[in-house]
Amino acid sequence: MIKFSHVTKIYKNNTRALNDVTFSIDHGEFVFIVGSSGAGKSTIIKHILREETATNGSIFVNSYNLNKIRRRHIPKYRRSLGVVFQDFRLIPDMNVYDNIAFALRVTNIKNSDIKRRVPYILNLVGLTSKARCFPSQISGGEQQRVALARALVNNPSIIIADEPTGNIDPELSFEIMDLLKEINKCGTTVLVVTHEHDLVKKIKGRVINIENGQIFSDSKDQDWSKYGYE
């Protein structure tokens, strides 16, 4: 599903963002990538989204070789991914329904399919009653649910959540994580990038810890005592 093999990334200013990073994520896994600011988490996401290419090593996602993928195939590849960002990235002059539908319209999905799919996703994230509201009329937690719904509407095989709880209250953070866990139970691979260890402790699962551009640990049963947690 996702495979990094000895990946190194050196930017033009000679910053070494990743150093010989190797890991693989299987279909249906729920995985956290954790680490401090500047550790390399965002660089990993940028490579998965094919916004960056590796200086050395290889990356395979959904059977695509991201080192060799042709530029014209990148949009199709990205449609196999659903991405949830920390800052929501909703279109302010579109209501909730149209923000979600937009993700389908840009891929030329038939209107009949949009009318069937969007209400289903709205119900899944508990926002049916907010369909005609605009982003400014709903809470931060509800905006993040819209962002999650938009990521889900194309039925991607992988959901990537990049600091999905950074702009919402702690209580709502757990709700979003519970939603992601339910989505994962349906077979979708979920990758969550976060620096919030409390969320990871509650949800549990596999944790890839990255520090200074290297994999510090990778364990399904992370020993949190080394980070000062009991």
Side-chain angles (χ1 to χ4, degrees), residues 75-189:
K76 180 181 178 182
Y77 158 70
R78 287 176 177 161
R79 287 198 289 273
S80 71
L81 310 174
V83 186
V84 183
F85 297 100
Q86 177 179 350
D87 56 358
F88 314 142
R89 302 193 186 183
L90 303 180
I91 301 170
D93 58 354
M94 285 187 180
N95 62 30
V96 167
Y97 181 100
D98 287 330
N99 260 281
I100 299 169
F102 182 75
L104 294 171
R105 292 186 177 121
V106 296
T107 59
N108 297 316
I109 299 296
K110 293 189 298 184
N111 199 45
S112 58
D113 290 334
I114 293 174
K115 289 181 177 179
R116 173 183 56 82
R117 185 70 180 166
V118 175
Y120 168 77
I121 294 295
L122 280 169
N123 181 65
L124 183 67
V125 299
L127 288 176
T128 299
S129 64
K130 304 289 185 177
R132 299 304 170 189
C133 294
F134 289 87
S136 61
Q137 297 173 316
I138 59 179
S139 70
E142 288 168 335
Q143 289 184 56
Q144 190 59 292
R145 285 173 177 261
V146 177
L148 179 56
R150 186 181 55 193
L152 286 169
V153 76
N154 273 311
N155 196 28
S157 57
I158 301 172
I159 289 287
I160 299 169
D162 188 5
E163 298 284 2
T165 60
N167 285 333
I168 57 179
D169 295 335
E171 185 176 340
L172 296 174
S173 297
F174 291 123
E175 289 185 11
I176 294 297
M177 297 308 300
D178 286 340
L179 259 176
L180 287 169
K181 201 68 176 177
E182 289 302 312
I183 291 162
N184 173 249
K185 288 178 181 178
C186 295
T188 304
T189 303

Side-chain angles (χ1 to χ4, degrees), residues 22-25 29-36 41 44 177 181 190-211 214-224 226-227 229:
T22 295
F23 67 87
S24 61
I25 296 172
E29 278 199 90
F30 190 109
V31 180
F32 289 98
I33 293 183
V34 302
S36 58
K41 306 187 304 296
I44 288 176
M177 297 308 300
K181 201 68 176 177
V190 176
L191 177 61
V192 179
V193 177
T194 185
H195 66 276
E196 298 184 52
H197 291 298
D198 286 344
L199 284 177
V200 181
K201 285 172 61 182
K202 180 180 184 296
I203 301 299
K204 300 188 185 298
R206 181 180 173 191
V207 180
I208 298 173
N209 191 308
I210 184 167
E211 293 295 341
Q214 295 180 293
I215 301 295
F216 178 69
S217 62
D218 181 353
S219 173
K220 294 183 179 180
D221 298 303
Q222 181 75 32
D223 179 9
W224 288 102
K226 69 178 70 176
Y227 304 111
Y229 296 106

